[in-house]
């Protein structure tokens, strides 16, 4: 990474930023420290103060009195998602910042998130980008990069017996940015956990146990160097954001914070349909979190903070990611591949789908159109399936389903399993109208509609991709998906055509959906 620095030749400057605009994490309970590059005080062309925007229990500003030991500010750095942010640059020899008030760190439960890039991951040196020490000068907890073996992010926690518990997250790439996080539960289980999410959404983790200890008095917390001796383990790299909590966050809370940071720094929005009114969910293969070769999270690009992300906690049930698949229009896209055996993703929060009017679009290809199976592409349920789209065991059919006073399942025939389709459904529970429509890569349009599924809104308890939404997962889909859009209203035909044109241009052939051949 280039280390060109924008030098600000003024004596003292506060880079404008407010907590609401800059630090806007979805989890605020227990947030001790919130730092990003929008709130720094410059002096002598370097960062004198990195100003806390959380300020729980008093100001937690980080400070460096000595001009020659101050990190630099790289202004308007272009992050992986294309957005620009101010970041702090540590040179690996002299630069570090110390916390002015350490008393709030006197806790034996902690969760830390950093957005970090290391310049020396490939050499044999170690660098700590955040480290704390107690009154006995023992490191309490530390995060950094590991010199031996190299290419590792590390988390270290010291137990009551002064025994260091170290988590190594391997395979780090110094060309990439990472969200590196740690949790320490020294009050109860002694568990130490470390996790990184790269800018390319690859997930790695490690854990250690038996780091239990009582609360120690913290005397130092430093960013960029060791707490024993600031001339040791200096960090060579950049930091964009640091969040510190005085408790162990739940798995869902950790996911929400990670998604917030991903959206802020790594996201490159690729779901941009021309109709935005009522758009609840927008998914495609560019914004996923993978664990190994499978997809753990398929992240919603419409609602930040993880509210509508789809996930699968079990590694045995995760779909695969096919990268750079060549679509019918010749463009390459990442797509999600479901095997038809047991793979599916579930939405974390379904309250926004508690509606009786819906329009959904899926860019989809089925591997099993010609057999006798049924596979659900997208489905929601309360006590039973409420609405869904999928492929029908009655060969070569797409179907839509809406359950109101009457269960209606309009079906589209004549579908080929070697073709990509834009499949949409619309349901208005107020009028009972249900329609299903598909546009193929060959330009064939199939549409059918029924009426009679009148119903009021009900609470949704499950929404899934790749299978039905009943209590027991079944009817697994065998095929691939490229994009999913869900609206909380029944779109008129003009808007359906507009969204189809956007999806067709992006994935299929670029012809005008308004001029395609109507088969049915």
């Amino acid at each position: 990474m280039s280390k060109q620095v924008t030098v600000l030749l003024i004596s003292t400057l506060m880079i404008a930023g407010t907590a609401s605009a800059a630090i806007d994490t979805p989890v605020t309970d227990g947030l001790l420290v919130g730092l990003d590059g929008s709130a720094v005080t410059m002096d002598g062309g370097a960062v004198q103060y990195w100003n806390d925007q959380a300020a729980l229990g008093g100001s937690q500003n980080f400070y460096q009195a000595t001009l020659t030991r101050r990190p630099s500010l790289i202004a308007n750095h272009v992050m992986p998602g294309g957005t620009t942010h101010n970041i702090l640059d540590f040179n690996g020899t002299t630069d570090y910042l110390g916390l002015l008030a350490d008393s709030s760190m006197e806790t034996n439960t902690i969760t830390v998130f950093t957005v970090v890039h290391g310049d020396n991951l490939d050499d044999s040196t170690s660098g700590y980008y955040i480290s704390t020490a107690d009154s006995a000068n023992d490191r309490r907890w530390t995060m950094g990069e590991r010199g031996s073996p190299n290419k590792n992010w590390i988390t270290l926690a010291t137990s009551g017996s002064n025994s260091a518990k170290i988590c190594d997250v391997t395979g780090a790439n110094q060309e990439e940015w990472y969200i590196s996080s740690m949790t320490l539960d020294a009050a109860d289980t002694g568990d130490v956990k470390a996790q990184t999410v790269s800018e390319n959404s690859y997930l790695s983790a490690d854990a250690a146990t038996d780091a239990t200890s009582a609360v120690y008095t913290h005397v130092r917390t430093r960013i960029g160097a060791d707490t024993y001796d600031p001339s040791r383990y200096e960090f060579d790299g950049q930091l964009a954001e640091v969040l510190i909590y005085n408790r162990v966050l739940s798995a869902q809370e950790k996911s929400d914070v990670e998604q917030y940071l991903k959206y802020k720094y790594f996201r490159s929005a690729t779901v941009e349909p021309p109709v935005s009114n009522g758009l609840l969910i927008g998914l495609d293969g560019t914004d996923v979190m993978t664990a190994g070769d499978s997809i753990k999270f398929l992240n919603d690009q419409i609602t930040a903070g993880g509210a509508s992300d789809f996930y699968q906690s079990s590694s045995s049930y995760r779909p695969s990611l096919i990268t750079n698949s060549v679509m019918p229009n010749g463009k390459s896209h990442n797509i999600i591949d479901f095997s038809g055996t047991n793979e599916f993703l579930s939405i974390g929060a379904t309250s926004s789908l508690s509606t009786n009017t819906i329009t959904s679009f899926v860019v989809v290809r089925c591997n099993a159109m010609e057999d006798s199976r049924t596979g659900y592409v997208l489905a929601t349920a309360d006590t039973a399936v409420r609405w869904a789209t999928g492929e029908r065991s009655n060969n070569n059919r797409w179907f839509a389903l809406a359950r109101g006073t009457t269960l209606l399942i309009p079906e589209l025939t004549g579908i080929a399993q070697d073709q990509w389709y834009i499949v949409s459904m619309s349901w208005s529970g107020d009028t009972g109208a249900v329609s299903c429509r598909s546009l193929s890569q060959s330009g064939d349009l199939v549409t059918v509609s029924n009426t009679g599924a009148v119903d009021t809104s009900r609470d949704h308890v499950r929404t899934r991709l790749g299978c039905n939404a009943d209590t027991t997962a079944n009817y697994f889909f065998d095929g691939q998906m490229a994009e999913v859009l869900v609206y909380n209203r029944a779109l008129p035909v003009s808007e359906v055509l507009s969204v189809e044109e956007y999806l067709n241009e992006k994935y299929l052939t670029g012809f005008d959906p308004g001029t395609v051949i109507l088969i049915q």
Side-chain angles (χ1 to χ4, degrees), residues 417-485:
Q417 70 178 31
D418 59 346
Q419 295 256 322
W420 279 92
Y421 290 84
I422 300 166
V423 179
S424 62
M425 75 155 291
S426 179
W427 174 39
S428 172
D430 295 333
T431 65
V434 184
S435 67
C436 186
R437 177 181 175 103
S438 76
L439 176 64
S440 78
Q441 66 187 60
S442 300
D444 299 329
L445 175 66
V446 185
T447 182
V448 64
S449 60
N450 290 322
T451 58
V454 177
D455 202 9
T456 57
S457 178
R458 297 185 195 176
D459 291 336
H460 282 73
V461 294
R462 281 178 300 278
T463 300
R464 292 180 179 145
L465 285 173
C467 72
N468 68 354
D470 292 343
T471 304
T472 301
N474 208 336
Y475 297 110
F476 296 99
F477 175 66
D478 185 359
Q480 298 80 40
M481 300 182 204
E483 186 155 332
V484 178
L485 303 173

Side-chain angles (χ1 to χ4, degrees), residues 278-283 300 302-303 307-310 345-361 377-388 403 425 427 429 455-465 469 484-489:
L279 182 59
L280 294 177
I281 296 172
L283 313 165
D300 176 33
I302 306 305
T303 306
S308 299
D309 297 335
F310 284 75
L345 298 168
S346 297
I347 200 171
T350 56
S351 59
S352 62
L353 296 179
S354 297
T355 174
N356 65 340
T357 57
I358 204 83
T359 304
S360 67
F361 298 84
V377 175
L378 171 65
T380 67
D382 50 15
T383 55
V385 173
R386 295 281 291 133
W387 57 265
R403 186 185 301 272
M425 75 155 291
W427 174 39
D455 202 9
T456 57
S457 178
R458 297 185 195 176
D459 291 336
H460 282 73
V461 294
R462 281 178 300 278
T463 300
R464 292 180 179 145
L465 285 173
V484 178
L485 303 173
V486 180
Y487 293 82
N488 65 359
R489 61 189 182 92

Side-chain angles (χ1 to χ4, degrees), residues 26 36 60 65 71 81 83 94 98 101-102 112 117 122 155 163 179 191 221 260 298 306 346 397 422 431 499:
D36 73 1
Q60 308 298 322
T83 56
T94 59
D102 289 279
V112 185
H117 175 277
D122 290 339
T155 289
S163 174
I179 300 166
D191 289 345
T221 301
Y260 150 73
L298 178 57
S346 297
R397 301 186 180 206
I422 300 166
T431 65
V499 175

Side-chain angles (χ1 to χ4, degrees), residues 53-125:
Q53 298 182 48
L56 176 63
S59 177
Q60 308 298 322
N61 298 334
F62 283 76
Y63 170 75
Q64 178 53 258
T66 305
L67 177 61
T68 57
R69 307 209 72 164
R70 293 173 185 163
S72 303
L73 184 76
I74 302 177
N76 298 315
H77 177 73
V78 180
M79 294 296 287
T83 56
T84 58
H85 294 271
N86 298 341
I87 61 175
L88 274 69
D89 184 47
F90 295 82
N91 64 13
T93 56
T94 59
D95 300 346
Y96 76 94
L97 298 168
L99 185 62
L100 290 180
D102 289 279
S103 60
S104 64
M105 295 292 180
E106 293 172 5
T107 174
N108 54 359
T109 57
I110 203 87
T111 303
V112 185
F113 298 86
T114 60
V115 180
V116 62
H117 175 277
D119 287 334
N120 274 340
L121 286 173
D122 290 339
D123 67 13
S124 60
T125 61

